[in-house]
Structure formats: structure tokens, C-alpha cells
Amino acid sequence: MRIDLFEMERMQALYWHRVEYDLSESGVLPLTIRDLLGETQDPEDFVRTKLGYPLSEGSEVTRERIAQWYPGAGAENVTVVNGGSEANHLTLWALLEPGDRFAFMVPNYMQGWGLGRHYVGSTDVFRLKLREGRWILDREELERAVTGQTKVVMVCNPNNPTGHVLTEQEMSAIVDAARKVGAWLVADEIYRGAELDADEASPTFWGRYDKVVITSGLSKAFGMPGLRVGWTVAPREAIEDIWIRHDYTTLSPSMVSDNLAAIAMEPARREWILGRTRGITRAHWPLLDGWLRSHDGLFTYARPVAGAITYAEYDLPVGSRELIDRIREEQSVLLVPGDMFGLGKGIRFGFGFDIEHTMKGLARVDEVLRRMG
Ligand SMILES: Cc1ncc(COP(=O)(O)O)c(C=O)c1O
């Protein structure tokens, strides 16, 4: 079966390690195993981990602790997999069948878009739009995209690439649209917990409707992409369907990942990790904001609500791919073009890593912009 190239992932795979300034990352400075263990865990316990197979769904303790982050969920609602990307893939594989329709929020991490086209041939898009400094859900498009044939409605909240968090009214509109036609609602919440202003994680879709699947993991808000831990939280019938497929892909998480995930999701440790992430996003954002503002109205953007990313539309007579290629080729800076999120003239900027280095990269971007201006 045909599958489209996942363009952003391929671009990052090709270039992130070859450029001097990688500003294409969407996470935060990764934790070390030492940071994660903290003062109370004996590193020897970790070193003595027996590298056998863990339980296929993830250990009971890991699943229980993940479930605690989703009010009303229990360990039986959780399965642990290899990254948020495997969680998304197994979920859409389990839920979509030929002839179904798939409604997909854009902009988004475009894995769902590509998988939708793979499994059912097309995706029905509804959008967030940037209006007067805010991202807003286009409810008319939502109404049009979700029809009687829709089997799955998929959103990313907090959103990649905009950092938008859906308002209560927007969440309700999406739940109502799915409920009206009996569709599954799949919410990729991998940036939940990385809020810039709030001290609490943004609300989850879990518990708002009986056909909700949450996909998430430790790669973004938790700063541990190298651990490759993801999960789905779902009604047991959906977990069974996902598990069947997991047996055909990677069988289980790794023993090391499962053990470390249990530590990360212990409630006090979890809040410490998310506090660290929020500290990073809060300290870094004003610098990127200052840089964007210093361009005399060239960029239109909204302050991100969560996540170490923002998306800025620009007013220049050049397409986003061409601009991003130029910036990479001439200045060795990697950014992500709007095209790769289903948008047009815009750029996603990551600000969760070394901010001084990031600012130097942005000074290089200025060189390109100056020559174009
Ligand atoms: C919204 C979203 N979901 C999933 C993923 C993939 O996560 P992982 O690295 O845990 O597979 C990403 C990575 O950028 C993402 O932005």
C-alpha cells in the first residue's frame, strides 16, 4: 500500500545533525538519567536492571502511574509503547478501515495526515486559524469535516506547531461533533504539561466522552525523547485492538524504558519534571518573542500557551520551503516550513534548547532576511 513521505521527519532526519543550529526541535533540553533518578533513587538499582522482556503492555506500576495523570483512568486503560509516534500509528491502524472517513485538525504533526491517507485514502481537514493574535478553531470547517461516515476525529492539543491550547468551548465543540456521529476522538496530548503560564497541566480530553483515545509519551513535555516511551489511554476494547497490533510491531517497551517511565510518572517526580520544563519555556520565550517583534511586523504569531514551539506567519514573497532551504543552505540553520504542517507561508521555531545558541542561530536567519528585504 502506498504511503506518503513524512516530510518533516525526513527533513529532520537528513539535516538536524549536519547543521550548526538546529532550531527545528519541538521539545526541551533533555534530562539525563541522573536527573531523572534524582537524589532519592540509588543509581545502582538502575544499573542492576535485568534486561529481560518487560510485560508487553508495560509494567503494572508504570501503567498505574500513567493512569493517575488521567482522572478516572486505571491501569487497564493504558498500554505503553515506543514513543508517541507508535501510539498514534497503532491507534489509527486499530480504528480506521477502508471506506471510513478521517477528520484531522490542521496545523498538526502530520503523521496522522499521512496515516489517514494510507488507511482510508484521504483526510478531511478542519483548521485552527490565526486571527488577531490568537489561534481559533474554525467551527464551520469542523462541522463540514465530521460527517456520518467519519470514524475518527484527530486533534493535537496542546498543538504542534502553534502552542495553542484549545479553549473549553473548542474542546466541547470537538467532543460534540464526534459524539453526534459516534466517531472516535483521538487526542495527541504529547505537549500537555509544558504550559508557559499555568502551573497545572492543560485539560485532557480523557473522560469527556466514552470513545476517546489519548496518545502521549515522555518525548516533549517530559524532555526524554531518547527513552522512546509513548502510551495510549483508551477504553479497554480499544486497548485490546491496539495491543493486537503492538504484537506485530515492537511487542513491548524496553525494560530500561519501562523502569525509567515508572520513575518519571511517580506523581511527585512527574511534577518536578514538568516544573523544570515550564521553567525552561518561561525563561526562553521572551527572547524568541523579542526577536520576532524586532522585525517590524514581518511576523504574525500568537504567544504559545504550551510547548517550546511557536509558529509565525511571515510576509515575504517566497514560499516556506524555499525560504527554509535557503536558510539551511546559506546559514546552516534548520527550521521547519509551514508547508510541513499543512500551512503556507510560515515557520515553526523551537525554543526549548540552549537559548543562547538559538539566538545565535536567529542572528544567522537575519542575514538571509536582510538580503531578501
Ligand atoms: C504531536 C506529536 N506527536 C508525536 C510525536 C512523536 O513522538 P515520539 O518522539 O515520542 O515518537 C511528535 C514529535 O514531534 C509530535 O510533535
Side-chain angles (χ1 to χ4, degrees), residues 111-144:
Q111 182 191 12
W113 186 83
L115 287 173
R117 286 164 58 83
H118 177 70
Y119 285 118
V120 300
S122 63
T123 52
D124 301 319
V125 161
F126 58 98
R127 269 174 267 257
L128 294 176
K129 292 184 173 157
L130 185 56
R131 296 279 180 269
E132 290 160 19
R134 289 200 56 225
W135 289 93
I136 293 172
L137 176 72
D138 186 327
R139 302 214 189 165
E140 282 174 21
E141 282 192 0
L142 174 70
E143 294 297 320
R144 276 200 298 275

Side-chain angles (χ1 to χ4, degrees), residues 9 26 83-85 88 109 156 160 188 190-191 219-220 228:
E9 287 296 345
S26 61
S85 48
N88 286 335
Y109 182 62
C156 174
N160 177 5
D188 181 338
I190 202 162
Y191 295 91
S219 300
K220 305 297 174 185
R228 309 307 303 133

Side-chain angles (χ1 to χ4, degrees), residues 188-315:
D188 181 338
E189 297 183 351
I190 202 162
Y191 295 91
R192 176 173 171 244
E195 291 68 25
L196 262 75
D197 295 320
D199 285 321
E200 278 186 15
S202 24
T204 171
F205 272 99
W206 180 255
R208 288 170 188 250
Y209 168 46
D210 54 1
K211 291 177 82 175
V212 168
V213 180
I214 306 298
T215 61
S216 189
L218 296 179
S219 300
K220 305 297 174 185
F222 288 87
M224 289 178 266
L227 207 50
R228 309 307 303 133
V229 168
W231 58 76
T232 64
V233 185
R236 192 61 209 177
E237 62 182 289
I239 289 287
E240 295 286 345
D241 284 344
I242 289 165
W243 193 3
I244 289 171
R245 286 156 180 84
H246 195 197
D247 288 345
Y248 281 98
T249 55
T250 57
L251 301 182
S252 71
S254 87
M255 184 58 100
V256 170
S257 305
D258 190 4
N259 283 354
L260 293 179
I263 294 171
M265 293 308 285
E266 184 279 314
R269 205 72 200 134
R270 177 189 80 205
E271 291 311 311
W272 177 82
I273 296 167
L274 296 179
R276 168 190 180 271
T277 300
R278 291 179 193 134
I280 293 172
T281 56
R282 279 167 205 174
H284 292 190
W285 166 251
L287 285 116
L288 174 57
D289 191 24
W291 183 85
L292 290 165
R293 277 170 200 269
S294 70
H295 289 79
D296 296 331
L298 172 64
F299 294 112
T300 311
Y301 60 100
R303 176 187 169 85
V305 183
I309 39 180
T310 197
Y311 181 83
E313 296 177 351
Y314 61 78
D315 183 16

Side-chain angles (χ1 to χ4, degrees), residues 330-331 362-372:
E330 294 176 14
Q331 296 293 336
L362 292 174
R364 296 255 191 123
V365 174
D366 278 332
E367 294 295 316
V368 179
L369 296 179
R370 238 190 307 276
R371 256 176 274 145
M372 296 185 76

